[in-house]
Amino acid sequence: RHATLPFRSQCEHHMLPFYGLVHVAYLPRGSASVSSSQASTPGQQQQQQEAGVAGPGTAADALLSLEELEQIVSMYTTRLQVQERITHQVADAVAEVVQPEGVMVVVDGAHMCMVARGVENHAGSTTSVATRGLFAERPELRRSVLRACRQAGVCR
């Protein structure tokens, strides 16, 4: 299961904004054989549940809606923050709420503090990654998520 969400926050060091995209991927319990590239979007998940593909008592009971993922991201981005901490906090929150086989969060942010200070990265963009469970153990799952991130424009 995966979703890409926009975020905005403020750098706790420089008090300047940064913003970008958060890509959250997770493997619900009992789906260890499913790769991220086979995962469905939250809208497809709802259609599958309505069609009876994933009935009560299955791993689909532990799915997060897009709104719930947005709330998790918002919970950590609407305060003074640093991107790396957001990445790990979102991964930990999804892991705690869903208790999946694995979680991977990729955050790509444009930082006004980098642009304003003239850091060599003129675009002021950085990417951070947090992995838990099977995503930490299996490189092919990480590659699959990174490929999906590039297609979604989350990371370059």
Side-chain angles (χ1 to χ4, degrees):
R1 314 289 180 218
H2 60 94
T4 301
L5 307 162
F7 80 94
R8 293 177 357 157
S9 192
Q10 192 164 358
C11 174
E12 70 180 30
H13 299 122
H14 305 101
M15 303 291 282
L16 290 169
F18 65 100
Y19 57 90
L21 296 172
V22 177
H23 187 83
V24 180
Y26 64 95
L27 295 171
R29 283 259 168 240
S31 67
S33 62
V34 177
S35 74
S36 175
S37 63
Q38 295 171 315
S40 55
T41 65
Q44 291 169 328
Q45 294 167 10
Q46 184 177 358
Q47 289 174 348
Q48 289 171 349
Q49 288 173 344
E50 290 170 359
V53 173
T58 66
D61 291 341
L63 298 181
L64 291 174
S65 69
L66 188 58
E67 182 178 315
E68 290 167 323
L69 282 173
E70 288 172 339
Q71 289 174 353
I72 289 172
V73 170
S74 178
M75 183 169 53
Y76 294 109
T77 58
T78 55
R79 59 177 92 163
L80 293 175
Q81 267 287 20
V82 294
Q83 179 174 321
E84 295 80 5
R85 189 178 315 124
I86 290 170
T87 308
H88 288 279
Q89 287 175 325
V90 170
D92 291 340
V94 171
E96 183 178 328
V97 170
V98 182
Q99 298 182 353
E101 305 251 356
V103 177
M104 184 166 170
V105 176
V106 180
V107 178
D108 188 67
H111 296 253
M112 296 303 102
C113 54
M114 291 174 68
V115 173
R117 292 182 307 130
V119 174
E120 288 300 312
N121 180 352
H122 298 291
S125 178
T126 61
T127 302
S128 54
V129 177
T131 58
R132 306 288 183 268
L134 289 179
F135 286 108
E137 300 165 10
R138 295 176 49 189
E140 70 277 7
L141 290 176
R142 290 192 300 275
R143 278 192 297 273
S144 177
V145 171
L146 291 173
R147 191 171 23 259
C149 288
R150 281 188 209 97
Q151 291 171 348
V154 176
C155 53
R156 290 142 201 37

